[in-house]
């Protein structure tokens, strides 16, 4: 099987399609004693949830099965920009899940896709970082509703980037919520949640898997109550007055301004690690003739300076080296940069960068 060629196979369509798959799915759904669930997810963290569902559904006393998977369409990724399935689709194929039960609609409101979903007669739909808006006509299909794993303590950080925005704000505690999906953004009643204390150094790519792993356990624990309807009764409505938003991150936000205090910049580096990253421009000044070259640095790892280092800094615009690159910041604070990446190069330590300067001074812009 060529897993990079996933068909957008919808059983009901205006275009001619063989009726055989419809009959097979309908027969499977009607004869199985287990309740059919449909899972929606796309990135690697979603595969963590799908793995938990696969494992739980194979248990001897399981009352459910994964009847279908919905994910983002294949996209061009990697160095060769080859057309590749989403991480969730690839994970499912590697687990020998039927390829004709992996749906990749451009939009979850497509009529042909919704017709296919109805044919499966799902009892429940589960979403985890699916990346597509679910319209009312989708939400009306599963009788037990749709539940979502959201990596924040709702109603805090509703939106597309809850983990990144929480780290950017420097919170000491976050968590994951299991909530029913409604048309309003991440505003449905919360079934259960789990809190997680975080330290000052964890980055978004490391925190995200922890939260979805915790969310997977929540989901498996709560599935019996969701499927028998008692979860709907115990779910707690969110207080909209306490809601905060976590809007999607844009590449333009990746620039660092050293007029801000060091802890603000450190939190931004943690939050934007992976994508889009954080960047800064510096001037490399030749100590002999004063020639300046402007260089862009991708800032990989940082920490906030200790006070004794700040007092020893030479001048407000000069970046010094004290085991790390020390950037003077707003409020008489300093940011230690431990790892950087030059354009087109590999990540290197601050020490390696400093040793390669050959006497040039570094000034912030």
């Amino acid at each position: 099987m060529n897993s990079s060629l996933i068909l957008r196979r919808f059983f009901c369509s205006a275009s001619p399609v063989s009726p055989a798959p419809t009959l097979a799915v309908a027969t499977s759904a009607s004869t199985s004693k287990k309740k059919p669930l449909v899972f929606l997810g796309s990135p690697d963290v979603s595969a963590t949830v799908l793995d938990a569902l696969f494992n739980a559904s194979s248990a001897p006393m399981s009352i459910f099965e994964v009847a279908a998977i919905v994910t983002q369409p294949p996209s061009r990724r990697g160095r060769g920009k080859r057309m590749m399935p989403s991480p969730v689709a690839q994970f499912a194929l590697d687990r020998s899940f039927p390829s004709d039960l992996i749906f990749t609609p451009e939009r979850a409101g497509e009529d042909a896709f919704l017709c296919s979903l109805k044919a499966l007669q799902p009892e429940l739909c589960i979403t985890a970082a699916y990346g597509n808006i679910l319209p009312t006509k989708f939400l009306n299909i599963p009788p037990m509703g749709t539940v979502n794993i959201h990596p924040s303590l709702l109603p805090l950080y509703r939106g597309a980037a809850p983990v990144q925005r929480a780290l950017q704000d420097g919170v000491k505690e976050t968590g994951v919520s299991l909530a029913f999906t409604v048309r309003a953004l991440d505003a449905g009643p919360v079934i259960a949640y789990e809190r997680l204390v975080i330290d000052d150094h964890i980055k978004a790519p490391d925190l995200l898997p922890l939260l979805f792993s915790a969310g997977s356990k929540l989901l498996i624990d709560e599935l019996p109550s969701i499927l028998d309807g008692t979860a709907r009764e115990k779910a707690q409505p969110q207080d909209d007055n306490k809601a905060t938003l976590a809007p999607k991150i844009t590449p333009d936000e990746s620039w660092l301004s050293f007029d801000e205090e060091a802890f603000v910049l450190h939190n931004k580096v943690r939050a934007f690690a992976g994508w889009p990253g954080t960047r800064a421009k510096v001037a490399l000044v030749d100590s002999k003739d004063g020639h300046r070259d402007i260089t862009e640095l991708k800032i990989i790892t940082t920490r906030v300076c200790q006070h004794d280092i700040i007092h020893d800094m030479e001048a407000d615009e000069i970046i010094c080296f004290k085991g790390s690159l020390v950037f003077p910041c707003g409020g008489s604070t300093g940011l230690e940069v431990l790892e950087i990446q030059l354009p087109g190069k590999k990540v290197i330590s601050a020490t390696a960068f400093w040793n390669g300067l050959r006497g040039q001074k570094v000034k912030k812009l």
Side-chain angles (χ1 to χ4, degrees):
M1 178 188 301
N2 186 348
S3 61
S4 67
L5 299 177
I6 298 179
L7 298 177
R8 297 175 66 240
R9 186 172 299 179
F10 304 143
F11 303 149
C12 303
S13 175
S15 58
V17 179
S18 170
T22 307
L23 179 60
V25 171
T27 301
S28 174
S30 62
T31 58
S32 174
K33 294 181 180 180
K34 294 185 176 183
K35 296 181 179 181
L37 312 183
V38 172
F39 176 76
L40 299 89
S42 298
D44 285 319
V45 289
S46 304
T48 301
V49 183
L50 182 57
D51 183 46
L53 285 170
F54 280 156
N55 293 338
S57 67
S58 64
M61 301 300 290
S62 172
I63 60 173
F64 72 90
E65 64 182 357
V66 179
I69 294 167
V70 185
T71 188
Q72 292 287 349
S75 60
R76 297 192 182 278
R77 299 198 306 277
R79 290 185 178 180
K81 296 297 181 183
R82 292 188 303 144
M83 190 67 73
M84 299 177 66
S86 75
V88 157
Q90 187 62 62
F91 176 81
L93 291 167
D94 291 344
R95 291 284 294 260
S96 300
F97 193 82
S99 61
D100 60 344
L101 293 177
I102 300 175
F103 300 104
T104 59
E106 294 286 349
R107 297 178 307 279
E110 293 178 13
D111 289 339
F113 164 66
L114 292 176
C115 188
S116 299
L117 186 64
K118 288 179 182 177
L120 290 165
Q121 299 179 339
E123 192 78 8
L124 175 73
C125 289
I126 297 165
T127 61
Y130 170 45
N132 218 330
I133 296 173
L134 302 180
T136 300
K137 53 187 177 180
F138 176 101
L139 298 175
N140 288 339
I141 291 175
M144 303 312 295
T146 297
V147 297
N148 178 49
I149 294 175
H150 186 77
S152 81
L153 296 172
L154 292 171
L156 302 179
Y157 298 105
R158 295 175 178 175
V163 174
Q164 293 89 337
R165 297 303 183 187
L167 288 178
Q168 187 178 8
D169 289 346
V171 301
K172 304 298 183 184
E173 180 184 73
T174 186
V176 61
S177 302
L178 183 65
F180 284 104
T181 301
V182 297
R183 282 292 292 141
L185 180 66
D186 298 322
V190 175
I191 303 166
Y193 63 87
E194 183 168 328
R195 297 181 182 274
L196 181 67
V197 176
I198 55 178
D199 64 34
D200 294 336
H201 302 292
I202 193 166
K203 298 178 182 179
D206 302 316
L207 179 56
L208 201 59
L210 293 177
L211 292 174
F212 274 93
S213 177
S216 300
K217 295 174 183 176
L218 274 183
L219 173 65
I220 300 305
D221 289 344
E222 295 294 335
L223 264 179
S225 67
I226 296 170
L227 291 171
D228 69 17
T230 55
R232 180 73 70 173
E233 299 172 5
K234 75 172 185 178
Q236 296 295 310
Q238 296 185 40
D239 184 349
D240 291 340
N241 293 323
K242 296 181 180 179
T244 59
L245 297 181
K248 184 178 179 180
I249 293 168
T250 65
D252 290 342
E253 295 182 73
S254 64
W255 291 103
L256 297 181
S257 171
F258 294 103
D259 292 335
E260 296 183 289
E261 294 191 31
F263 77 92
V264 174
L265 300 179
H266 173 63
N267 288 335
K268 189 171 184 178
V269 171
R270 298 164 57 215
F272 290 14
W275 190 92
T278 44
R279 298 175 290 167
K281 286 185 178 181
V282 298
L284 304 182
V285 184
D286 192 297
S287 57
K288 294 180 180 180
D289 59 15
H291 178 74
R292 292 161 56 98
D293 281 327
I294 306 302
T295 300
E296 179 183 314
L297 303 179
K298 188 172 184 180
I299 308 299
I300 305 298
T301 306
T302 60
R303 66 184 174 214
V304 178
C305 272
Q306 301 298 319
H307 288 290
D308 55 343
I309 296 179
I310 298 170
H311 292 320
D312 291 339
M313 289 193 294
E314 300 175 24
D316 190 47
E317 76 279 1
I318 298 293
I319 298 165
C320 63
F321 181 76
K322 296 183 180 294
S324 60
L325 296 173
V326 183
F327 284 72
C329 302
S332 298
T333 61
L335 182 71
E336 289 189 71
V337 175
L338 309 176
E339 292 180 305
I340 64 160
Q341 185 176 13
L342 293 165
K345 304 293 184 180
K346 295 181 179 180
V347 174
I348 59 173
S349 68
T351 301
F353 172 75
W354 188 261
N355 290 339
L357 290 177
R358 298 178 181 178
Q360 296 178 98
K361 287 189 174 183
V362 186
K363 293 187 176 182
K364 68 177 188 178
L365 297 179

